[in-house]
Amino acid sequence: MAIRFFLVLLLFTSCTKYSFSLYEDQVGLMDWHQQYIGKVKHAVFHTQKTGRKRVLVSTEENVVASLDLRRGEIFWRHVLGIDDVIDGLDIAQGKYAITLSSDGSLLRAWNLPDGQMVWESLLQGSKPSKSILNVLATQKVEMDNVILVFGYGCLHAVSSIDGEVLWRTDFVAKSRIAGLRSNIAIINVHDGEISYQQTVIAEFVEDTSEKAVILPSRISGMFALELNSLIIFIKLTDKGKLVVVDKVTNAAAIGDALLISEGQNAFALVQHGVGKIHLTVKDGHDWSIDLLKESTVMDPQRGKVNKNFINNYVQTNRAHGFRALIVMEDHSLLLVQQGEIVWRREDGLASVVDVVTSKLPVEKVGVSVAKVEQNLFEWLKGHLLKLKGTLMLASPEDVVAIQAMRLRSSEKSKMTRDHNGFRKLLIVLTRAGKLFALHTRDGRVIWSVLLRSLCKSETCEQPVALNVYQWQVPHHHAMDENPSVLVIGRCRPSFDAPNFLSFVDTYTGREVNSLGLVQSITQIIPLLYTDSTEQRLHLLIDINQQAYLYPKMPEAIAIMQHEFSNVYWYSVDVDNDIIKGHALKSNCVHEVVDEYCFNFRDLWSVVFPPESENIIATVTRKSNEVVHTQTKAMAEQDIMYKYISRNLLFVATVAPKARGEIGTASPEESWLVVYLIETVTGRILHRMVHHGSQGPVHAVFSENWVVYHYFNLRAHKYEISVIEIYDQSRADNKDVRKLILGKHNLTSPISSYSRPEVITKSHSYFFTHSVKAIAVTSTAKGITSKQLLIGTIGDQVLALDKRYLDLRRSVNPTQAEKEEGVIPLTDSLLIIPQSYITHSLKVEGLRGIVTVPAKLESTSLVFAYGVDLFFTRMAPSRTYDSLTEDFSYALLLITIVALIAAIFVTWVLSERKELQEKWR
């Protein structure tokens, strides 16, 4: 017994780790975090002789930030709320950053060095209107800079010291002037006296059929007016009259006026050339004087110039030099000086709208990496070489081989597949219509392409990027075919606008093809079928209730004809609270029969009465999710069979009065109803009512269970509920022998038209956080236990073990349940601070979480996006199928030698003892 105890103890001490926590120096080894600010709307330079030179910016992502002017790095930033849109930005007293937001109702002052908020002032008005911010300049820093704010039809004068409103004037009544033509209103403030006049635009141009827009630029005594693709510069004379100075047809962006000396100001005008942009700085008082003219080579993948902001500096010859901060069409930010790009920021990545992943190419030199590293003999040979190197027994040839192996293993960022499946490409689509490929190792941009079909043009004034889908994922043709993705865009935000299709090679970023569609797409249905080139078939549903098959190839038609009766889909009409099921009917007949166009019929519909229930959330399973086992062990060794169907839909509805923000309705007026609907037949399999609860609802559907988050008004707490659905028709068939021999009913085909005998189990828990997004880890074979990934209101991602939502939990679990890992039941879900996979970092403006399985079964890849980007690798059940990178082979060898020595010593002692007993 003592000998056995010694061996067990030796094995335990050699194989057990005492800590599974993440050390500080491990952060960043398997994850990366990137900070962005978004597309810049306003910028103000702060380049005084003392202190750091910086530029203050506000963006379309409601971010106010201070950037280092030399390198473009972030000094500090604040991400405001979704509805707190920034309308203006300026500097007061040389030490405060002033922001105007929320339609001109919130005025804030931020400390310039560290970004701390100094004061906040709430401004009130009588009618919504355009917001304007203007800080009156003063020569003395210690004196009060009066801030003029126009918003909600009122003009406020605010103190920059403490935010106190000094005086207020209402212009709503004064602006009511008869007439249908557009007018220009001029407000003049002088010694506390205010004058107000209007001028009709028709006095400057003959054609006023197009809408006139005042460009957002501040030039002293001058403003720019855009009309009919023409930019008109209008100057205000000393007598108060408006005079046209110039008309420009090919201008891209006009900057604000800049005071460069006493009584002299300048402004910048950017025009496009072939592969270049031309920057011209003009004198604000004399239009004929050009203070600067220079050209800069520009990457065409950045599109056109949207905005520019200039700043001056004194050159060595005492002349004035200029630098320009340029905002491009792809939302990137550039600093240009002396015709060169000093630094650039890819802030388009702050507005990611959709994400897919792509495998990297295999290594084509010799045998592919995948084939070599999957070979057991080669794997053992590699580890033997590492062991010989650790013990300093390697020959010169072995040293060369070890160095080559280390070089390969250290190249975690190389552009080929690895045997663990950690290296992939994240294909992200941004709001600007630009597609990026990010390497999962360090997040660097491999390629980027600005899709021309999603760029602003005469026929498409407001293009919108919608989604990106897997189009072609070659497996058998991996050596000679490249994967590609399908990008869907719309010409305008409205649903009746025409759509665009773009096909992009994920290895090169080359736009293979693009299609402009006349019809408006309302729904994209990725089918489960692929052709011989492994292009995935898609159905595009248009506004005329017709389905179009893509790709338009004869082979796709042949596949569709074979699977015609097996194609079903559903649609959700949130506006009318209706869910419908559809199936294909026949080919469309226009002038001739279109074999790629299909009419479809409605199979069923679920209509929720709008006076009692409104749809607020729907979610379904991932089409590519892998389920390892269809059974689950319950209490007292009972086995239940999971009801697993790709056609299940989770729907959440609320009372009409509970659609608003939390607290707008009383508990008696609020209820939350959840459904599980079979989308082929429209059969409702489960319905549950949560009285006194309301949304927003965030849910995730995996295998046979749904987890959803909502607010309980009665308890004044957030709750998380779980629903599990089981197939009762298989409950009586538990013959293990049939299961092993493949004769069990699990192998028989299942029809959605057969009425299933299902039962559901559910439970609810209190949760302490508001939630922005919920996802679940996914692995290659579905063996590894799952973890919920919860994006909290604090813009962090929390990993919650699914065991906390196990329906087997009880207050006093049995010893057998404890051994299986069943956690004692509590009314609240325990949050462990170490469970945040984002550590102490924040994914500001968190909008979504994407999980992707690695080739290694224990590992799941996680990507969270918002204003920031975050990527990490997770092992919910630990890395049970691989050795860690810091594994000590020397310790392993010592352990093996010690075990062999212990066995030999115990054998000798045992033989000696037996011999002594025989001689007695």
Short mmCIF file of all heavy atoms in Angstrom, two decimals, residues 661-694:
data_model
loop_
_atom_site.label_atom_id
_atom_site.label_comp_id
_atom_site.label_asym_id
_atom_site.label_seq_id
_atom_site.Cartn_x
_atom_site.Cartn_y
_atom_site.Cartn_z
N GLU A 661 -38.60 52.05 -22.73
CA GLU A 661 -37.51 51.83 -21.79
C GLU A 661 -38.04 51.25 -20.49
O GLU A 661 -39.24 51.34 -20.18
CB GLU A 661 -36.77 53.15 -21.53
CG GLU A 661 -36.09 53.72 -22.77
CD GLU A 661 -35.35 55.01 -22.46
OE1 GLU A 661 -35.47 55.49 -21.31
OE2 GLU A 661 -34.68 55.53 -23.36
N ILE A 662 -37.12 50.68 -19.73
CA ILE A 662 -37.50 50.07 -18.46
C ILE A 662 -38.06 51.13 -17.53
O ILE A 662 -37.46 52.18 -17.33
CB ILE A 662 -36.28 49.37 -17.82
CG1 ILE A 662 -35.83 48.21 -18.70
CG2 ILE A 662 -36.61 48.88 -16.41
CD1 ILE A 662 -34.57 47.55 -18.25
N GLY A 663 -39.24 50.85 -16.97
CA GLY A 663 -39.88 51.79 -16.06
C GLY A 663 -40.98 52.60 -16.69
O GLY A 663 -41.70 53.31 -15.98
N THR A 664 -41.16 52.50 -18.03
CA THR A 664 -42.23 53.26 -18.68
C THR A 664 -43.59 52.62 -18.47
O THR A 664 -44.62 53.26 -18.73
CB THR A 664 -41.95 53.38 -20.19
OG1 THR A 664 -41.77 52.05 -20.74
CG2 THR A 664 -40.69 54.19 -20.44
N ALA A 665 -43.63 51.38 -18.02
CA ALA A 665 -44.89 50.69 -17.76
C ALA A 665 -44.83 50.05 -16.38
O ALA A 665 -43.76 49.68 -15.89
CB ALA A 665 -45.16 49.62 -18.83
N SER A 666 -45.98 49.91 -15.75
CA SER A 666 -46.06 49.29 -14.43
C SER A 666 -46.02 47.78 -14.57
O SER A 666 -46.27 47.23 -15.66
CB SER A 666 -47.36 49.71 -13.73
OG SER A 666 -48.48 49.22 -14.46
N PRO A 667 -45.73 47.03 -13.50
CA PRO A 667 -45.70 45.57 -13.59
C PRO A 667 -47.03 44.97 -14.04
O PRO A 667 -47.05 43.93 -14.70
CB PRO A 667 -45.34 45.14 -12.17
CG PRO A 667 -44.61 46.30 -11.60
CD PRO A 667 -45.23 47.51 -12.21
N GLU A 668 -48.14 45.62 -13.68
CA GLU A 668 -49.45 45.11 -14.08
C GLU A 668 -49.69 45.29 -15.58
O GLU A 668 -50.48 44.55 -16.18
CB GLU A 668 -50.56 45.82 -13.29
CG GLU A 668 -50.60 45.49 -11.81
CD GLU A 668 -49.46 46.14 -11.04
OE1 GLU A 668 -48.89 47.14 -11.56
OE2 GLU A 668 -49.13 45.66 -9.94
N GLU A 669 -49.03 46.26 -16.20
CA GLU A 669 -49.21 46.52 -17.62
C GLU A 669 -48.17 45.81 -18.49
O GLU A 669 -48.22 45.94 -19.72
CB GLU A 669 -49.10 48.03 -17.89
CG GLU A 669 -50.17 48.86 -17.18
CD GLU A 669 -49.91 50.34 -17.33
OE1 GLU A 669 -48.72 50.74 -17.33
OE2 GLU A 669 -50.88 51.10 -17.46
N SER A 670 -47.27 45.09 -17.87
CA SER A 670 -46.14 44.49 -18.60
C SER A 670 -46.20 42.98 -18.51
O SER A 670 -46.51 42.41 -17.46
CB SER A 670 -44.81 44.99 -18.04
OG SER A 670 -44.75 46.40 -18.08
N TRP A 671 -45.89 42.35 -19.61
CA TRP A 671 -45.69 40.91 -19.64
C TRP A 671 -44.80 40.56 -20.82
O TRP A 671 -44.80 41.24 -21.84
CB TRP A 671 -47.01 40.16 -19.70
CG TRP A 671 -47.89 40.54 -20.84
CD1 TRP A 671 -47.84 40.11 -22.13
CD2 TRP A 671 -48.98 41.48 -20.79
NE1 TRP A 671 -48.81 40.70 -22.89
CE2 TRP A 671 -49.54 41.53 -22.09
CE3 TRP A 671 -49.53 42.26 -19.77
CZ2 TRP A 671 -50.61 42.36 -22.39
CZ3 TRP A 671 -50.61 43.06 -20.08
CH2 TRP A 671 -51.13 43.11 -21.36
N LEU A 672 -44.06 39.49 -20.64
CA LEU A 672 -43.16 38.97 -21.66
C LEU A 672 -43.58 37.55 -21.99
O LEU A 672 -43.74 36.73 -21.08
CB LEU A 672 -41.71 38.99 -21.16
CG LEU A 672 -40.66 38.28 -22.01
CD1 LEU A 672 -40.46 38.99 -23.34
CD2 LEU A 672 -39.34 38.18 -21.26
N VAL A 673 -43.79 37.26 -23.26
CA VAL A 673 -44.21 35.93 -23.70
C VAL A 673 -43.15 35.38 -24.65
O VAL A 673 -42.72 36.08 -25.57
CB VAL A 673 -45.58 35.98 -24.42
CG1 VAL A 673 -46.09 34.57 -24.67
CG2 VAL A 673 -46.59 36.78 -23.61
N VAL A 674 -42.73 34.14 -24.40
CA VAL A 674 -41.72 33.51 -25.25
C VAL A 674 -42.33 32.27 -25.89
O VAL A 674 -43.17 31.58 -25.30
CB VAL A 674 -40.45 33.14 -24.46
CG1 VAL A 674 -39.78 34.40 -23.93
CG2 VAL A 674 -40.75 32.19 -23.32
N TYR A 675 -41.89 31.98 -27.12
CA TYR A 675 -42.41 30.87 -27.91
C TYR A 675 -41.26 30.09 -28.51
O TYR A 675 -40.20 30.65 -28.82
CB TYR A 675 -43.30 31.37 -29.06
CG TYR A 675 -44.53 32.15 -28.66
CD1 TYR A 675 -44.45 33.52 -28.42
CD2 TYR A 675 -45.76 31.52 -28.56
CE1 TYR A 675 -45.58 34.24 -28.08
CE2 TYR A 675 -46.90 32.24 -28.22
CZ TYR A 675 -46.80 33.60 -27.98
OH TYR A 675 -47.92 34.32 -27.64
N LEU A 676 -41.51 28.79 -28.72
CA LEU A 676 -40.68 27.94 -29.57
C LEU A 676 -41.56 27.46 -30.71
O LEU A 676 -42.56 26.76 -30.48
CB LEU A 676 -40.10 26.76 -28.79
CG LEU A 676 -39.01 27.08 -27.77
CD1 LEU A 676 -38.56 25.81 -27.06
CD2 LEU A 676 -37.82 27.77 -28.42
N ILE A 677 -41.22 27.86 -31.94
CA ILE A 677 -42.06 27.59 -33.10
C ILE A 677 -41.31 26.73 -34.09
O ILE A 677 -40.14 27.00 -34.41
CB ILE A 677 -42.51 28.91 -33.77
CG1 ILE A 677 -43.32 29.76 -32.77
CG2 ILE A 677 -43.34 28.64 -35.01
CD1 ILE A 677 -43.72 31.11 -33.32
N GLU A 678 -41.95 25.67 -34.57
CA GLU A 678 -41.42 24.84 -35.65
C GLU A 678 -41.68 25.55 -36.97
O GLU A 678 -42.84 25.75 -37.36
CB GLU A 678 -42.09 23.47 -35.62
CG GLU A 678 -41.82 22.60 -36.82
CD GLU A 678 -40.37 22.23 -36.97
OE1 GLU A 678 -39.79 21.68 -36.02
OE2 GLU A 678 -39.82 22.51 -38.06
N THR A 679 -40.63 25.99 -37.67
CA THR A 679 -40.80 26.89 -38.82
C THR A 679 -41.23 26.18 -40.09
O THR A 679 -41.58 26.85 -41.07
CB THR A 679 -39.48 27.64 -39.09
OG1 THR A 679 -38.43 26.70 -39.33
CG2 THR A 679 -39.12 28.52 -37.91
N VAL A 680 -41.24 24.85 -40.13
CA VAL A 680 -41.73 24.14 -41.31
C VAL A 680 -43.25 24.04 -41.27
O VAL A 680 -43.94 24.21 -42.28
CB VAL A 680 -41.09 22.74 -41.42
CG1 VAL A 680 -41.71 21.94 -42.56
CG2 VAL A 680 -39.59 22.87 -41.64
N THR A 681 -43.81 23.77 -40.10
CA THR A 681 -45.25 23.60 -39.96
C THR A 681 -45.94 24.76 -39.27
O THR A 681 -47.17 24.87 -39.34
CB THR A 681 -45.54 22.32 -39.16
OG1 THR A 681 -44.97 22.45 -37.85
CG2 THR A 681 -44.93 21.10 -39.84
N GLY A 682 -45.18 25.63 -38.60
CA GLY A 682 -45.79 26.71 -37.85
C GLY A 682 -46.35 26.29 -36.51
O GLY A 682 -47.04 27.07 -35.84
N ARG A 683 -46.06 25.05 -36.10
CA ARG A 683 -46.59 24.54 -34.83
C ARG A 683 -45.86 25.18 -33.65
O ARG A 683 -44.63 25.27 -33.65
CB ARG A 683 -46.44 23.02 -34.79
CG ARG A 683 -47.14 22.36 -33.61
CD ARG A 683 -46.98 20.86 -33.66
NE ARG A 683 -47.64 20.30 -34.83
CZ ARG A 683 -47.00 19.67 -35.80
NH1 ARG A 683 -45.69 19.53 -35.75
NH2 ARG A 683 -47.66 19.20 -36.84
N ILE A 684 -46.61 25.64 -32.68
CA ILE A 684 -46.03 26.21 -31.47
C ILE A 684 -45.76 25.08 -30.48
O ILE A 684 -46.69 24.44 -29.98
CB ILE A 684 -46.97 27.27 -30.85
CG1 ILE A 684 -47.17 28.44 -31.82
CG2 ILE A 684 -46.41 27.78 -29.53
CD1 ILE A 684 -48.14 29.48 -31.34
N LEU A 685 -44.50 24.82 -30.21
CA LEU A 685 -44.12 23.72 -29.34
C LEU A 685 -44.07 24.12 -27.87
O LEU A 685 -44.17 23.27 -26.99
CB LEU A 685 -42.75 23.17 -29.76
CG LEU A 685 -42.64 22.66 -31.21
CD1 LEU A 685 -41.24 22.13 -31.46
CD2 LEU A 685 -43.68 21.59 -31.50
N HIS A 686 -43.90 25.41 -27.62
CA HIS A 686 -43.79 25.85 -26.22
C HIS A 686 -44.20 27.31 -26.13
O HIS A 686 -43.91 28.11 -27.03
CB HIS A 686 -42.36 25.67 -25.71
CG HIS A 686 -42.14 26.19 -24.33
ND1 HIS A 686 -42.62 25.58 -23.20
CD2 HIS A 686 -41.47 27.30 -23.89
CE1 HIS A 686 -42.27 26.27 -22.13
NE2 HIS A 686 -41.58 27.32 -22.52
N ARG A 687 -44.88 27.66 -25.05
CA ARG A 687 -45.26 29.05 -24.78
C ARG A 687 -45.17 29.29 -23.27
O ARG A 687 -45.61 28.47 -22.48
CB ARG A 687 -46.68 29.33 -25.26
CG ARG A 687 -47.16 30.77 -25.02
CD ARG A 687 -48.57 30.96 -25.54
NE ARG A 687 -49.01 32.34 -25.44
CZ ARG A 687 -49.62 32.85 -24.37
NH1 ARG A 687 -49.86 32.08 -23.31
NH2 ARG A 687 -50.00 34.12 -24.35
N MET A 688 -44.55 30.40 -22.91
CA MET A 688 -44.39 30.74 -21.50
C MET A 688 -44.58 32.24 -21.33
O MET A 688 -44.11 33.03 -22.15
CB MET A 688 -43.01 30.33 -20.99
CG MET A 688 -42.74 30.70 -19.53
SD MET A 688 -41.05 30.30 -19.01
CE MET A 688 -41.16 28.51 -19.04
N VAL A 689 -45.26 32.63 -20.24
CA VAL A 689 -45.53 34.03 -19.95
C VAL A 689 -44.78 34.43 -18.69
O VAL A 689 -44.84 33.74 -17.67
CB VAL A 689 -47.04 34.27 -19.76
CG1 VAL A 689 -47.30 35.76 -19.50
CG2 VAL A 689 -47.83 33.80 -20.97
N HIS A 690 -44.04 35.54 -18.78
CA HIS A 690 -43.39 36.14 -17.61
C HIS A 690 -44.17 37.42 -17.26
O HIS A 690 -44.00 38.45 -17.91
CB HIS A 690 -41.93 36.48 -17.92
CG HIS A 690 -41.09 35.29 -18.26
ND1 HIS A 690 -40.48 34.50 -17.31
CD2 HIS A 690 -40.75 34.74 -19.46
CE1 HIS A 690 -39.80 33.53 -17.89
NE2 HIS A 690 -39.95 33.66 -19.20
N HIS A 691 -45.01 37.33 -16.28
CA HIS A 691 -45.81 38.49 -15.90
C HIS A 691 -44.93 39.51 -15.17
O HIS A 691 -44.03 39.16 -14.41
CB HIS A 691 -46.96 38.05 -14.98
CG HIS A 691 -47.98 37.20 -15.67
ND1 HIS A 691 -48.92 37.71 -16.53
CD2 HIS A 691 -48.19 35.85 -15.62
CE1 HIS A 691 -49.67 36.72 -16.99
NE2 HIS A 691 -49.25 35.58 -16.44
N GLY A 692 -45.21 40.79 -15.44
CA GLY A 692 -44.45 41.86 -14.80
C GLY A 692 -43.03 41.99 -15.31
O GLY A 692 -42.17 42.50 -14.61
N SER A 693 -42.79 41.53 -16.55
CA SER A 693 -41.44 41.60 -17.13
C SER A 693 -41.50 42.31 -18.47
O SER A 693 -42.54 42.38 -19.12
CB SER A 693 -40.86 40.19 -17.31
OG SER A 693 -40.75 39.53 -16.07
N GLN A 694 -40.37 42.83 -18.91
CA GLN A 694 -40.28 43.50 -20.19
C GLN A 694 -38.87 43.40 -20.75
O GLN A 694 -37.94 42.93 -20.07
CB GLN A 694 -40.70 44.96 -20.07
CG GLN A 694 -39.71 45.87 -19.36
CD GLN A 694 -40.12 47.32 -19.45
OE1 GLN A 694 -40.57 47.89 -18.47
NE2 GLN A 694 -39.95 47.92 -20.61
#
